[in-house]
Amino acid sequence: MSETQKLDFSVVNGTTLESFNQQKNLIKRMLKGNSAICAECNKPLTLQLPPNTKNAKPAEKAPGIYCAKGCTDIELDMEAVALLK
């Protein structure tokens, strides 16, 4: 029997943490009303919020931050977003 090998996830964990923090900061900036551009295609990102009244038309997309070309597609859980404020 051989000893089990330990996998080193430190590189993956560091990259994942950096990506998570970048997305979190992007979401905060967009919710504050600042503009941002897509890191892939340099097109402006748009913030899609949920309808704020019962009579409002349903949105085509879920609440989130989107790029016109589809490079950036971050769907937001609006209950979690309320906790960021």
Side-chain angles (χ1 to χ4, degrees), residues 57-79:
K57 293 180 184 177
E60 291 179 21
K61 294 183 178 182
I65 298 172
Y66 300 99
C67 164
K69 291 179 91 177
C71 308
T72 300
D73 186 349
I74 303 171
E75 244 181 78
L76 299 176
D77 176 357
M78 294 312 288
E79 290 177 18

Side-chain angles (χ1 to χ4, degrees), residues 3-55:
E3 293 182 33
T4 57
Q5 292 180 328
K6 292 184 179 181
L7 299 175
D8 182 14
F9 287 103
S10 61
V11 174
V12 174
N13 289 341
T15 305
T16 303
L17 179 62
E18 183 180 333
S19 175
F20 172 78
N21 286 329
Q22 287 173 347
Q23 284 190 5
K24 183 173 73 170
N25 290 332
L26 172 66
I27 292 166
K28 285 181 180 180
R29 285 194 317 269
M30 295 288 291
L31 288 173
K32 287 181 181 178
N34 297 331
S35 61
I37 58 169
C38 176
E40 296 294 319
C41 68
N42 293 321
K43 300 284 183 194
L45 296 174
T46 57
L47 174 63
Q48 175 72 47
L49 296 174
N52 59 359
T53 65
K54 292 179 182 177
N55 297 332

